[in-house]
Amino acid sequence: MTSKHILHNFILSIASLGTATSGFSAEPQKLGYSDTPIVPGTQWHVHDGDRPQPRIVTPAAAFSHLAPAPSDAVVLFDGKDLSKWQDAKGREAKWKVEKGYMEVVGGTGSIQTKDKFADFQLHLEFATPSVVKGTGQNRGNSGILLNGMYEVQVLDSYGNKTYPDGQCGALYGWTPPLVNASKPPGEWQSYEIIFESPRWDESGQLVKKANVTVIHNGLVLHHRREYIGDSPHQKVGTFNKKHAPEMFIQLQDHGNPMRFRNIWVRSLGQYDQP
Ligand code: MG
């Protein structure tokens, strides 16, 4: 046995020691949770790592990227300033604005619109950091949280597996996207989000669940999908927290320097009520 072989065997023995003592193993890493509640109507746990990974589809180079706002839209961010945004306590938003985009400054908190909207069409573009750091939920994480409650996940899901109900475009903790339409780190990606608020009657009875349609880089991820409730971590969402239909739109600070640009929203209105 050469000294090289001895060294190799030594490394193998250290590795097998690690198996017994620290849980190191060649088994694939667990992606999520199996000790969380079952998502109603499915066989899967909340954040189940064994849930099927959505099919990967390469989107076209551009879909609605840099789409100008139509005449009845409220422009929430035109690349210049954060005047339409504030932090959760109503203070000035502290994220960075440069070169036509805003960037999360980790630790300054999530930001939300000052205006509120009930049933709306939202256009938004984002880019995950071109310098890749972290894995799973720690890589390029943000989110669009309607009323701070109903999340459409934003994550770097390009070659980055995580539990499917937490990947990019997932309705967090509830429904994975129909496909994985993610672009590589640093590239601009588009979201079209059509959202209808939940409604309660005067006695507090839920009469309409929130629903959402999401188009990511030109691919439908959800089609008028009803939320099961809000989007808590490791729990099943509920509609227990009654609120007004008009809601703010929040962008999540999850500590990663995510970028956003070209954000506008328009109310859906109603048929026969021009
Ligand atoms: Mg998130």
Side-chain angles (χ1 to χ4, degrees):
M1 190 178 274
T2 63
S3 60
K4 199 173 152 193
H5 280 118
I6 291 168
L7 181 64
H8 182 68
N9 284 346
F10 176 71
I11 289 169
L12 282 181
S13 64
I14 291 288
S16 64
L17 195 66
T19 306
T21 56
S22 68
F24 173 89
S25 97
E27 290 290 306
Q29 202 191 341
K30 270 279 179 195
L31 292 176
Y33 300 80
S34 51
D35 58 351
T36 44
I38 292 285
V39 177
T42 78
Q43 64 188 96
W44 310 107
H45 292 268
V46 174
H47 315 318
D48 199 324
D50 294 331
R51 199 164 175 172
Q53 292 283 328
R55 179 166 57 95
I56 294 170
V57 180
T58 305
F63 177 65
S64 56
H65 299 69
L66 295 175
S71 66
D72 66 348
V74 175
V75 176
L76 295 174
F77 181 65
D78 64 0
K80 296 192 183 95
D81 62 67
L82 295 175
S83 58
K84 299 276 189 181
W85 300 81
Q86 59 190 7
D87 77 3
K89 291 183 177 156
R91 298 171 304 198
E92 197 184 331
K94 290 286 196 315
W95 292 10
K96 188 162 77 180
V97 177
E98 60 178 22
K99 299 175 193 159
Y101 58 78
M102 62 165 93
E103 185 177 293
V104 176
V105 176
T108 61
S110 302
I111 65 171
Q112 61 197 51
T113 56
K114 294 175 182 172
D115 291 341
K116 296 187 172 183
F117 311 91
D119 306 318
F120 57 84
Q121 168 189 353
L122 173 70
H123 172 84
L124 172 150
E125 296 170 39
F126 66 91
T128 66
S130 53
V131 178
V132 171
K133 279 190 185 158
T135 58
Q137 291 291 305
N138 294 320
R139 177 167 151 186
N141 195 334
S142 182
I144 324 292
L145 285 125
L146 294 327
N147 220 32
M149 303 170 74
Y150 312 105
E151 184 171 17
V152 177
Q153 174 70 307
V154 174
L155 193 80
D156 181 354
S157 287
Y158 188 87
N160 176 40
K161 276 191 186 169
T162 185
Y163 45 84
D165 73 20
Q167 77 172 70
C168 195
L171 310 181
Y172 189 76
W174 158 228
T175 302
L178 285 168
V179 293
N180 179 342
S182 291
K183 283 176 171 280
E187 288 193 18
W188 285 103
Q189 312 195 45
S190 67
Y191 260 161
E192 266 51 63
I193 296 177
I194 301 144
F195 186 85
E196 293 179 43
S197 288
R199 301 290 201 278
W200 289 263
D201 66 15
E202 285 179 3
S203 72
Q205 197 69 29
L206 181 74
V207 291
K208 181 187 175 183
K209 292 180 176 175
N211 75 70
V212 72
T213 297
V214 181
I215 301 174
H216 181 200
N217 297 325
L219 289 125
V220 175
L221 305 189
H222 306 282
H223 180 211
R224 214 165 189 265
R225 179 75 165 163
E226 277 188 340
Y227 275 87
I228 196 170
D230 58 357
S231 308
H233 182 58
Q234 288 184 259
K235 291 184 194 145
V236 175
T238 69
F239 284 108
N240 291 344
K241 292 170 216 142
K242 185 184 166 192
H243 57 78
E246 294 75 24
M247 50 178 59
F248 60 82
I249 298 166
Q250 184 184 59
L251 304 178
Q252 188 183 41
D253 170 9
H254 205 283
N256 301 129
M258 302 287 293
R259 291 175 181 173
F260 295 91
R261 73 175 184 190
N262 191 26
I263 308 176
W264 49 260
V265 64
R266 53 181 299 278
S267 292
L268 293 185
Q270 291 187 25
Y271 292 108
D272 305 314
Q273 292 184 25

